[in-house]
Amino acid sequence: METEGFFVDGPGIFRAELERTRRERQARELSEKVTGAQSLVNSLEHAGVDVMFGIPGGAILPAYDPIFDSKIRHILVRHEQGAGHAATGYAQATGRVGVCIATSGPGATNLVTPLADAQMDSVPIVAITGQVPGPAIGTDAFQEADIRGITMPITKHNYLITDPDQIPAAISEAFHIASTGRPGPVLVDIAKDALQKMTTFTWPKQRVLAGYRLQLDPEASAINDAARLIAESKKPVFYVGGGVIKANASKELFRLAELVGAPVVTTLMARGAFPDSHPLHLGMPGMHGTVAAVTALQKADLLITLGARFDDRVTGKLSTFAVNAKVIHADIDPAEIGKNRFADVALIGDLKRTMVALVPALEREFAKSRPDLASWWKQMGGLRSTYPLGYDHPAEGLSPQYVIERIGAISGPDSIYCAGVGQHQMWASQFIKYEKPRTWLNSGGLGTMGYAVPAAMGAKVGAPDTPVWAIDGDGCFQMTNQELVTCAINKIPIKVAVINNESLGMVRQWQTLFYASRYSNTDLHSKRIPDFVKLADAMGCVGLRCESRDDVDATINKAMEINDAPVVIDFSVHRDAMVWPMVAAGTSNDDIMIARELAPDWGSQEL
């Protein structure tokens, strides 16, 4: 048989000739000169990128020509901040690196907030920005900004590329750094002339990153020390942070927790790392955590800290936090060990490997003696039953907690829920039941208003067959709702629940409690201007409104039935609903406040 100019007299020779031809073709392609821009796109393809979010502009424009022919899906957003949060939502939902791209100057600086957000919450994203030509750098050229210098404190690493030959190595390193160890954002800033110049594309076969060393396996002696502490403890608590989800270690946590039998609390960033329905779970600790979870940490004699960083929103006044507890601190990032709280045992390494190693060590210790946690559980179980989360149904307007609770119940635990920042974020963390990791996305560390809609967009792109809800406040929604246009045009059918209380709700709550109800500049008038239903319709979405408790389920079900367009529901909720429990900023967790003590007219009678 004759094939491509040569004869084949056997299957083996056919395969050999085909392989030789493929190698020759590949060698020709590699030896051909391409622009730096084409090298960039080739590099992104080799890095496994399937989608990126961005907006073109002058300095990055050379890259957009090869993007036109690339297999990578580019989603044209309406604001660079939307691109950054979409990349974050994609990364949080999928566990893969999210990618955003912008031009120089204002395009790059509009990515600063998403980069800081990703840094605080350890989210792997790579941001590509254009820069003015190399000779113009430092001259205050048009649309020039030192984005590398600006983002130095808020990225895991960043690059300024002026030589096109450096592009493949920089992209390869950027994806490796973003996704390994403690994940985080990496920025690659590329001068326009580097994108325009000719180069030879060669994808690096290996990386040499001086100073970047990861300790994946914890020290065996530390594992044994941790197991001994756990076996000796009478009041242990698993203090679980978002690092467990980043490490894809939920199954390992489940096994370890059941082996020990101790209470589990999951922070705001760890919701879903351990099932809410599990009897060991006490809920979320922190400023708006459950009474049982907050008290468990305060009264514990041992904190088994897994991928958490002793954030001030969890600890309250640090000097009064868990004063009688010893600490086992497991984390991939050695910089976190001892940063806020001394660790009696440090387990530095990958959390999955750490928990796998702990199990046999604990089994050996438990074979000698196993602690009796019955008294500890009697105390914690009593708190859980005495102080459950609850809410009232107001005489006027909807209960926001009820609305969010019904969304979670109807859409179910397989859905993804993204929240903005404020009261609705806390209610979504409290009243939706999370059973699986990567189903709860929010801006935890930075507290970025406007996060929800673009993050939901990115999550839906990453998980197209999963229902994705953005639980947003009327304040947050008005910051980034233009990305609904992006969703409509690109057929990304997210569902948005606007918890509309006409206010910057969390700020208003503080004004009620601490500023004698002097509501300075927190009234948004959002039930009059804008009309969210008309706004949704104008942006190519389906707009719905719900003002009656009797209509809540029907409205949510109607939204669930619409899967060919984004849906926005304007829920008209009671303005003075508050988030309870509450630990006021700067105070001790021992001073946790429940509704009846402070504001019985607004709080839950169940608490």
Side-chain angles (χ1 to χ4, degrees):
M1 148 176 117
E2 188 175 357
T3 305
E4 293 190 1
F6 55 84
F7 287 89
V8 178
D9 52 10
I13 297 176
F14 177 81
R15 284 194 296 270
E17 289 292 343
L18 205 60
E19 176 62 20
R20 180 180 61 80
T21 304
R22 187 191 65 79
R23 287 199 304 269
E24 290 175 351
R25 186 185 300 114
Q26 189 177 56
R28 286 196 303 271
E29 290 173 354
L30 290 175
S31 65
E32 291 174 357
K33 290 289 184 179
V34 297
T35 64
Q38 184 65 64
S39 180
L40 169 63
V41 174
N42 290 352
S43 297
L44 293 172
E45 290 176 346
H46 275 71
V49 176
D50 58 359
V51 65
M52 54 186 170
F53 306 86
I55 303 179
I60 197 65
L61 193 58
Y64 270 78
D65 188 63
I67 285 174
F68 189 80
D69 298 317
S70 174
K71 64 181 181 181
I72 299 173
R73 181 186 183 189
H74 179 281
I75 294 177
L76 176 63
V77 297
R78 268 42 188 177
H79 192 283
E80 290 89 357
Q81 183 177 350
H85 290 318
T88 294
Y90 173 91
Q92 288 177 311
T94 65
R96 302 182 62 196
V97 178
V99 181
C100 54
I101 183 167
T103 196
S104 64
T109 58
N110 281 340
L111 290 176
V112 168
T113 295
L115 287 169
D117 187 274
Q119 175 79 347
M120 288 286 277
D121 289 344
S122 303
V123 181
I125 67 172
V126 169
I128 310 295
T129 54
Q131 183 55 273
V132 299
I137 293 176
T139 67
D140 292 331
F142 177 66
Q143 290 194 331
E144 181 186 1
D146 178 13
I147 196 61
R148 189 185 186 204
I150 291 168
T151 62
M152 192 76 73
I154 56 169
T155 53
K156 188 176 178 183
H157 192 59
N158 61 22
Y159 297 81
L160 172 60
I161 304 298
T162 57
D163 181 351
D165 293 346
Q166 297 175 351
I167 291 174
I171 296 298
S172 174
E173 291 172 9
F175 277 80
H176 178 68
I177 293 169
S179 60
T180 56
R182 180 178 184 170
V186 178
L187 178 133
V188 183
D189 192 34
I190 309 176
K192 184 174 183 178
D193 56 337
L195 293 170
Q196 294 170 319
K197 289 177 182 177
M198 303 304 291
T199 184
T200 300
F201 171 74
T202 304
W203 185 246
K205 295 180 180 179
Q206 59 183 9
R207 308 179 195 92
V208 179
L209 296 171
Y212 189 66
R213 298 289 182 269
L214 301 175
Q215 181 176 331
L216 298 178
D217 293 302
E219 297 290 341
S221 60
I223 288 288
N224 292 332
D225 290 343
R228 194 174 306 112
L229 273 184
I230 295 171
E232 294 170 353
S233 172
K234 303 298 183 185
K235 299 179 179 180
V237 177
F238 283 96
Y239 167 24
V240 176
V244 170
I245 294 176
K246 302 296 189 301
N248 296 313
S250 292
K251 290 181 180 179
E252 288 72 21
L253 170 62
F254 191 94
R255 183 182 179 193
L256 182 63
E258 289 205 321
L259 174 63
V260 177
V264 177
V265 302
T266 52
T267 67
L268 182 66
M269 295 306 299
R271 304 293 285 117
F274 192 79
D276 278 358
S277 60
H278 199 287
L280 295 179
H281 195 227
L282 293 183
M284 182 178 73
M287 177 176 277
H288 295 293
T290 66
V291 172
V294 171
T295 307
L297 291 179
Q298 285 298 93
K299 304 302 182 184
D301 65 6
L302 177 66
L303 302 183
I304 308 167
T305 309
L306 304 171
R309 57 187 179 88
F310 293 90
D311 175 72
D312 64 289
R313 283 305 195 254
V314 169
T315 67
K317 187 177 180 181
L318 187 59
S319 62
T320 67
F321 176 69
V323 294
N324 296 315
K326 292 185 177 180
V327 173
I328 297 168
H329 196 172
D331 206 288
I332 187 71
D333 184 0
E336 286 297 338
I337 307 296
K339 185 179 79 174
N340 293 327
R341 176 64 182 262
F342 173 77
D344 296 272
V345 176
L347 299 174
I348 301 171
D350 175 75
L351 280 173
K352 185 189 287 279
R353 299 189 188 190
T354 296
M355 286 188 275
V356 167
L358 263 176
V359 168
L362 275 169
E363 288 173 338
R364 289 193 295 270
E365 290 294 330
F366 287 167
K368 304 172 190 174
S369 65
R370 190 181 184 98
D372 182 3
L373 303 183
S375 175
W376 179 229
W377 264 114
K378 182 179 180 180
Q379 182 183 359
M380 291 302 102
L383 286 172
R384 178 163 56 186
S385 60
T386 303
Y387 298 103
L389 293 171
Y391 53 87
D392 279 339
H393 289 286
E396 294 182 6
L398 294 166
S399 162
Q401 300 98 320
Y402 175 73
V403 167
I404 292 170
E405 186 176 59
R406 294 308 300 156
I407 290 171
I410 292 171
S411 195
D414 292 327
S415 298
I416 294 172
Y417 303 92
C418 305
V421 169
Q423 288 180 314
H424 62 281
Q425 174 192 26
M426 295 299 105
W427 290 322
S429 70
Q430 292 174 331
F431 291 102
I432 293 175
K433 302 303 180 186
Y434 300 99
E435 300 293 316
K436 300 177 181 180
R438 302 194 185 278
T439 55
W440 163 245
L441 317 181
N442 79 122
S443 172
L446 196 64
T448 306
M449 291 182 68
Y451 166 91
V453 169
M457 174 174 67
K460 184 65 174 176
V461 170
D465 298 325
T466 301
V468 177
W469 282 87
I471 311 292
D472 223 358
D474 49 309
C476 286
F477 182 66
Q478 292 183 75
M479 291 191 172
T480 53
N481 63 35
Q482 70 273 7
E483 296 310 333
L484 287 172
V485 175
T486 308
C487 290
I489 290 172
N490 289 277
K491 302 186 185 307
I492 306 170
I494 66 171
K495 306 179 194 304
V496 183
V498 181
I499 308 303
N500 185 356
N501 62 2
E502 300 185 273
S503 304
L504 297 172
M506 188 62 85
V507 184
R508 180 183 170 88
Q509 176 168 332
W510 282 49
Q511 288 173 334
T512 300
L513 299 176
F514 309 118
Y515 293 89
S517 298
R518 290 163 56 85
Y519 300 120
S520 176
N521 291 283
T522 49
D523 191 343
L524 294 173
H525 306 282
S526 305
K527 291 180 183 176
R528 296 188 294 109
I529 303 172
D531 183 320
F532 289 138
V533 173
K534 290 181 179 178
L535 182 63
D537 291 341
M539 291 192 288
C541 306
V542 176
L544 305 173
R545 180 172 286 112
C546 183
E547 299 174 316
S548 167
R549 178 181 172 185
D550 294 338
D551 295 332
V552 168
D553 281 18
T555 306
I556 296 169
N557 281 315
K558 184 174 182 180
M560 292 294 295
E561 292 169 359
I562 300 170
N563 293 302
D564 57 355
V567 182
V568 177
I569 310 174
D570 181 5
F571 287 102
S572 181
V573 303
H574 180 46
R575 177 175 240 178
D576 289 317
M578 289 197 185
V579 183
W580 299 110
M582 180 176 178
V583 177
T587 66
S588 170
N589 283 347
D590 292 327
D591 299 323
I592 187 170
M593 300 179 292
I594 57 176
R596 185 175 295 140
E597 294 177 31
L598 245 167
D601 290 339
W602 292 296
S604 163
Q605 298 306 305
E606 284 94 42
L607 292 180

